[in-house]
Amino acid sequence: MTENLGVLGKKSSRRTGAERVVNAPLPTVYGQFQAVGYMDHDRGDEQVALVYGDIGTDGVLVRLHSECLTGDAFGSQHCECGDQLDAAMRAVVAEGSGVVVYLRGHEGRGIGLLAKLRAMALQAEGLDTVEANLALGLPVDARDYGVAAQILHDLGVRSVRLMSNNPRKREALLRHGIQVAEQVPLLIPPCESNITYLRTKRERLDHHLPHLDAVAHLS
């Protein structure tokens, strides 16, 4: 079989994986973080890890946060993403150290911004978040956490205390060689706008959300 050769007859040297590109101080309303920027050569996404304090290698408090423009930037109450990001950053500062890996390309559980908005329109008509994705011919959850594991490896992290209610994140890290010493709940009080969405995440996507039992009065 002929090898893939470049224009000068050499083997292709296309980079793969996550490459650390820059490390910059990032003062925030929560505290002084280091923003460590990566290029994901496999997907073409720019990624960032927000590192606080001296994180060490084991039992590091970590949040893998999927990009959510509507929740993180616009304060949408359709989901709890913005509140989870806020809570995670506060938690690592309170801990004295930790990492928030902000995962670009994860918008709408990996389907993209416009598709997510189309799914939200279908939800307004009565479909749940799973049904809406399927009605659009899209996967229920297309996210991949391989790059997150690569970033943690690059930062020297071997085991984490994972801030997440999603068992798939834990399973993904384990598959990629990151040990999960503990899964730390990140429970946000629901409101009328997101209670149906959260119940669907619990009932159909296996998220651990026991606090929903106490808010049966919400429609």
Side-chain angles (χ1 to χ4, degrees):
M1 180 181 293
T2 303
E3 292 180 309
N4 182 23
L5 301 180
V7 292
L8 298 180
K10 296 180 180 179
K11 290 183 181 180
S12 173
S13 59
R14 187 179 72 85
R15 294 180 178 179
T16 60
E19 176 193 9
R20 187 192 295 211
V21 175
V22 63
N23 186 354
L26 184 69
T28 75
V29 295
Y30 310 100
Q32 180 79 22
F33 285 78
Q34 288 291 317
V36 187
Y38 292 84
M39 172 55 71
D40 178 358
H41 290 291
D42 295 327
R43 298 176 61 91
D45 294 318
E46 297 173 330
Q47 306 288 3
V48 63
L50 302 179
V51 180
Y52 186 83
D54 182 6
I55 59 174
T57 60
D58 296 305
V60 181
L61 188 62
V62 167
R63 166 71 178 166
L64 307 183
H65 190 84
S66 294
E67 176 182 26
C68 177
L69 179 68
T70 51
D72 299 339
F74 301 152
S76 169
Q77 290 191 320
H78 181 270
C79 62
E80 82 278 42
C81 300
D83 288 333
Q84 284 190 316
L85 179 59
D86 175 80
M89 294 187 71
R90 292 184 187 280
V92 297
V93 171
E95 178 81 6
S97 65
V99 181
V100 176
V101 181
Y102 193 87
L103 291 163
R104 309 281 308 283
H106 276 205
E107 189 77 54
R109 297 196 303 275
I111 64 175
L113 177 60
L114 296 183
K116 181 177 82 169
L117 293 176
R118 293 188 182 102
M120 288 169 61
L122 291 176
Q123 290 171 65
E125 296 175 2
L127 300 186
D128 67 32
T129 183
V130 170
E131 293 166 344
N133 280 33
L134 294 176
L136 292 169
L138 298 170
V140 172
D141 192 337
R143 290 174 293 181
D144 182 275
Y145 299 99
V147 70
Q150 292 175 34
I151 288 170
L152 292 174
H153 280 300
D154 179 73
L155 294 172
V157 175
R158 295 184 301 200
S159 72
V160 302
R161 293 162 53 223
L162 181 64
M163 288 185 283
S164 178
N165 310 316
N166 184 355
R168 291 178 177 83
K169 289 184 180 180
R170 178 181 182 275
E171 294 162 5
L173 287 182
L174 291 173
R175 284 198 306 272
H176 291 284
I178 299 289
Q179 295 302 308
V180 180
E182 180 184 1
Q183 190 156 339
V184 181
L186 198 59
L187 304 177
I188 305 300
C191 64
E192 289 187 8
S193 297
N194 65 25
I195 185 64
T196 298
Y197 170 80
L198 293 174
R199 285 174 176 153
T200 301
K201 286 174 71 172
R202 180 173 72 170
E203 294 163 9
R204 304 195 65 178
L205 299 173
D206 300 322
H207 287 223
H208 186 60
L209 300 169
H211 66 310
L212 300 185
D213 293 333
V215 290
H217 63 284
L218 290 178
S219 59

